Amino acid sequence: MGILDRIERGLERAVNTAFAKTFRSGVQPVEITAALRREIDTQASVVARDRILVPNVFTVRLSRPDFDRLSAMGRTLTDEIAKQLTKHAQAQGYQFPGGIRLSLEADSSLSVGLLVIDAQNVRGAVTWSAVIDINGKRHVLTKGVTVIGRGSDADVTVNDSSISRRHVEFTWDGSRAQVRDLGSTNGSRLDGARLNAAGLESGSVIELGSTRVVFHVVPETRGGTGPAPRTASATPSVPVRDAFWSSR
């Protein structure tokens, strides 16, 4: 960061401090998202004509009251922030060096309404898994084809009389996913549009009759025992919208 950037950041922090002390308003999620986007823009590094790297590991430091209030939101907060960061990175042509990691930290030196972002680039290789959430239950998709339906011969059986015995099939090759309707009686919809066959993005919603299926791509845990549903990255072929959550 150059001297002008440091001066600008110092002035911004001074103004924000004065504002927070005057109005005592708590930090809102939209402010965290905006601060993270500014941090990404500030630290973007052009390493090649078609490659702009940005930080992927963030610590958001907050006053204790703001920390207690926001950390209680858990994954709901991080999912939305990660979605917005991923969209911003894609729109600007940025690339993350690894999965996005976001953590909240209480800082006794900060007043209510203030936040400080610490960001860094952490390289990492990620093995991706595909999962679907159905009625609050998560199912890991194996490589190949997975059939969803009401019948006992489906790979994932759903107790819903409005869907067919073999309703849709998901195809996953380790980096890309597709979904195809198997000629179901009541049809299927993908993100509100009628579905025949289509590629999937993480966060896509598939409606089978009255059943709602949400598709995600997530990195596997280090121990290899299953997916870690709270991590995000814009690096796989399927854009990912989840974020790793930690608070301390």
Side-chain angles (χ1 to χ4, degrees):
M1 185 183 299
I3 185 169
L4 292 178
D5 289 327
R6 288 196 295 270
I7 293 172
E8 182 179 347
R9 294 285 288 278
L11 290 172
E12 180 182 17
R13 185 168 300 179
V15 171
N16 288 341
T17 298
F19 181 88
K21 287 181 177 179
T22 301
F23 295 98
R24 293 289 179 184
S25 57
V27 171
Q28 300 301 317
V30 66
E31 296 175 273
I32 296 177
T33 302
L36 288 168
R37 290 175 59 174
R38 286 196 301 270
E39 193 70 28
I40 286 175
D41 291 339
T42 300
Q43 296 201 34
S45 299
V46 180
V47 296
R49 182 165 27 174
D50 59 349
R51 187 167 173 79
I52 305 174
L53 286 181
V54 293
N56 63 311
V57 176
F58 306 94
T59 300
V60 182
R61 292 192 280 124
L62 303 157
S63 68
R64 172 56 68 175
D66 283 331
F67 169 81
D68 291 341
R69 175 172 52 84
L70 292 169
S71 61
M73 298 176 66
R75 185 177 172 189
T76 301
L77 176 64
T78 54
D79 280 355
E80 184 58 30
I81 290 176
K83 174 182 174 182
Q84 297 303 322
L85 287 183
T86 301
K87 283 184 176 180
H88 181 64
Q90 291 172 340
Q92 300 299 320
Y94 298 155
Q95 295 182 32
F96 298 109
I100 295 175
R101 286 186 286 165
L102 173 64
S103 63
L104 300 186
E105 181 177 297
D107 187 333
S108 60
S109 69
L110 295 177
S111 302
V112 171
L114 285 180
L115 65 91
V116 174
I117 304 292
D118 297 324
Q120 57 182 316
N121 294 54
V122 177
R123 201 166 180 76
V126 181
T127 300
W128 300 96
S129 292
V131 299
I132 52 174
D133 288 326
I134 305 175
N135 300 328
K137 186 176 181 180
R138 177 157 287 194
H139 304 267
V140 179
L141 300 182
T142 58
K143 288 185 180 179
V145 176
T146 301
V147 174
I148 313 296
R150 178 169 49 86
S152 58
D153 58 337
D155 298 303
V156 177
T157 302
V158 180
N159 184 19
D160 181 352
S161 60
S162 68
I163 72 175
S164 299
R165 296 183 61 84
R166 293 171 61 87
H167 200 104
V168 295
E169 66 176 24
F170 288 85
T171 305
W172 168 249
D173 67 1
S175 62
R176 293 178 300 275
Q178 291 184 323
V179 62
R180 181 169 70 93
D181 187 273
L182 298 176
S184 62
T185 301
N186 294 324
S188 309
R189 302 185 75 82
L190 172 61
D191 294 330
R194 185 166 183 82
L195 168 68
N196 291 314
L200 289 171
E201 292 185 357
S202 189
S204 295
V205 177
I206 304 96
E207 297 171 76
L208 319 177
S210 60
T211 295
R212 186 172 183 268
V213 180
V214 184
F215 171 80
H216 297 284
V217 177
V218 297
E220 294 181 354
T221 57
R222 291 182 180 178
T225 57
R230 298 180 181 176
T231 304
S233 172
T235 54
S237 13
V238 180
V240 179
R241 298 178 183 172
D242 294 327
F244 174 80
W245 171 264
S246 80
S247 58
R248 57 182 187 271

